[in-house]
Amino acid sequence: MKRFLTLTMVVLLALGLLAGCGGARGGDAGGEGSGDGPIVIKFSHVVAENTPKGQAAQMFEEKAEEYTEGKVDVQVFPNSQLYDDNEVLAAVQQNNVQMAAPATSKVSKLFPQWQIFDFPFAFPDVKAVQTAMESEEIGGKLFTMLKEEKLLGLAMWDNGFKQMTLDEHPLYMPKDFEGQKFRVMSSKVLEAQFEALSANPIPMPFSEVYSALEQGVIDGQENTLSNIYSKKFHEVQKYMTLSNHGYLGYAVITNSEFWEGMPEDVRTQVEKALDETTQWVRENGQRLNQENLDKIKADGTLEEIHTMTEEEKQAWMEATSGVYDQFREEVGAELIDAVLELREQ
Ligand code: LMR
């Protein structure tokens, strides 16, 4: 009996160890494995499902599973269910999740150059960002550097442009920012933007913003309309200025070893699914944000939604223009000049 028990324990232990090692196939985690099950691609993100990124992740899941005829199993984890802003890059590097789409500002934790997208009024529209990403000197450079950290940049997904909200009073001119506490993503450029407006920037993960607004830990924040609406920020703020002052988009990334380890025929189909999804985001991201503005208006929780005037825009631009010079060294003069050149066109 004793011998039987010992044997059982050894078998159970061995099974446990095998499960712990789980490769891509039939296992829990991604990576090349020898089982017969599908390759698991865990995709972690922080926003709600009814946003450009949330919908894109779902679309990618459906298409990838369809095109590979079930050879991959994409598992999407929205709303910071698996990882928070501060954790997700390391999780991809360690292959604990195989895909993520952090805001470009958050990639700057590893590569400060990615803060290029955070400069105030750097891009007149989403098309300009797409042109930048397609160019060798901006997009090419940014994607290439990811490889140094075991990451592979697969695509860029747009959300759109950020708007400002505040609880205390409307934001018209730079002086209205004075002394107010604004949540920022983890980006020194974003901090500098608010400092240039004499406000106090407070870096904070996305998952904490709603309660920080509700409890008055912060007075305001900047985000896209889809993020504001889906996370109900407009219910705990009184004023919004439609300023389009900064871009918010995502680096769709994977663990390079995992990606390159996928059988080529499977990878080709997954890449096709991703390309089609990227195209969909390009065509629909702005529509989703516009629809969210209509919903915010219909909710009627904000006291005022102000559209920035040309005079106000000039004043905000002037107040924050020094941020570009401040970061020439950290972000890179060449990148900054390339973006500014593009803006002039
Ligand atoms: C934020 O932290 O405000 C955004 O990056 C969230 C997101 O991923 O859109």
Side-chain angles (χ1 to χ4, degrees):
M1 183 66 176
K2 198 172 164 205
R3 202 163 154 244
F4 171 73
L5 278 178
T6 315
L7 202 67
T8 313
M9 278 166 70
V10 168
V11 170
L12 285 176
L13 195 66
L15 283 176
L17 281 174
L18 277 178
C21 294
R25 292 175 184 280
D28 201 22
E32 226 7 64
S34 56
D36 291 329
I39 297 170
V40 175
I41 302 181
K42 291 187 182 171
F43 189 141
S44 171
H45 70 79
V46 299
V47 294
E49 283 155 305
N50 57 341
T51 56
K53 178 163 62 180
Q55 292 200 20
Q58 277 168 359
M59 176 178 288
F60 169 69
E61 173 181 346
E62 282 158 28
K63 284 180 181 284
E65 291 178 359
E66 184 194 328
Y67 295 163
T68 62
E69 294 171 344
K71 291 198 186 83
V72 298
D73 172 15
V74 180
Q75 301 174 1
V76 180
F77 297 89
N79 293 310
S80 314
Q81 268 169 25
L82 269 193
Y83 293 105
D84 215 332
D85 287 336
N86 298 327
E87 306 156 342
V88 78
L89 289 173
V92 178
Q93 285 174 305
Q94 288 155 18
N95 202 29
N96 292 333
V97 284
Q98 289 63 52
M99 284 179 76
T104 52
S105 325
K106 295 168 193 172
V107 180
S108 72
K109 254 179 98 176
L110 292 177
F111 299 102
Q113 295 90 330
W114 278 78
Q115 292 173 111
I116 191 74
F117 299 101
D118 294 335
F119 286 100
F121 302 99
F123 300 93
D125 50 32
V126 165
K127 186 86 196 56
V129 181
Q130 291 165 359
T131 307
M133 281 316 284
E134 278 157 14
S135 79
E136 211 22 67
E137 52 186 343
I138 304 174
K141 213 181 221 175
L142 292 172
F143 270 2
T144 302
M145 64 182 68
L146 296 177
K147 292 182 189 149
E148 292 164 28
E149 290 286 348
K150 294 190 184 165
L151 299 172
L152 191 65
L154 297 169
M156 179 92 165
W157 286 353
D158 306 303
N159 184 323
F161 284 86
K162 292 180 285 186
Q163 321 301 341
M164 288 284 187
T165 68
L166 187 68
D167 201 42
E168 185 146 321
H169 53 245
L171 291 162
Y172 302 137
M173 283 297 195
K175 66 173 176 36
D176 300 324
F177 285 83
E178 212 175 299
Q180 299 291 320
K181 295 192 285 283
F182 284 86
R183 176 265 174 170
V184 286
M185 292 184 272
S186 53
S187 153
K188 297 282 171 220
V189 170
L190 293 179
E191 287 185 42
Q193 167 190 268
F194 282 102
E195 278 159 4
L197 292 162
S198 306
N200 302 320
I202 304 198
M204 183 181 289
F206 185 59
S207 56
E208 293 171 21
V209 179
Y210 178 87
S211 58
L213 288 171
E214 193 182 32
Q215 290 160 19
V217 175
I218 46 174
D219 307 305
Q221 62 85 47
E222 54 168 10
N223 226 311
T224 59
L225 292 160
S226 55
N227 280 346
I228 291 171
Y229 178 74
S230 59
K231 290 294 176 191
K232 303 187 189 324
F233 297 163
H234 63 297
E235 294 181 7
V236 284
Q237 295 277 269
K238 290 201 184 74
Y239 301 95
M240 176 159 72
T241 297
L242 298 174
S243 48
N244 292 315
H245 62 279
Y247 169 80
L248 174 61
Y250 310 110
V252 184
I253 52 167
T254 185
N255 178 296
S256 45
E257 213 175 302
F258 161 75
W259 201 258
E260 279 145 22
M262 265 196 283
E264 204 181 327
D265 57 327
V266 176
R267 195 175 59 231
T268 306
Q269 294 307 316
V270 175
E271 283 171 355
K272 178 178 158 201
L274 190 63
D275 285 351
E276 289 181 10
T277 306
T278 302
Q279 197 52 37
W280 178 86
V281 185
R282 285 185 167 201
E283 286 160 12
N284 291 277
Q286 303 325 296
R287 175 183 60 77
L288 291 179
N289 276 304
Q290 187 55 43
E291 283 172 11
N292 282 299
L293 175 58
D294 297 339
K295 288 178 183 165
I296 290 171
K297 284 181 182 164
D299 275 1
T301 52
L302 287 171
E303 279 187 21
E304 187 183 282
I305 301 176
H306 170 69
T307 303
M308 173 186 256
T309 65
E310 195 48 44
E311 187 199 347
E312 288 160 4
K313 181 176 173 183
Q314 290 309 321
W316 289 35
M317 281 180 88
E318 205 170 302
T320 56
S321 62
V323 178
Y324 286 83
D325 275 346
Q326 214 177 315
F327 284 86
R328 280 184 85 74
E329 205 171 316
E330 187 173 330
V331 175
E334 274 179 33
L335 267 180
I336 293 180
D337 288 341
V339 163
L340 288 177
E341 207 175 292
L342 209 76
R343 189 172 76 173
E344 299 311 313
Q345 287 171 16

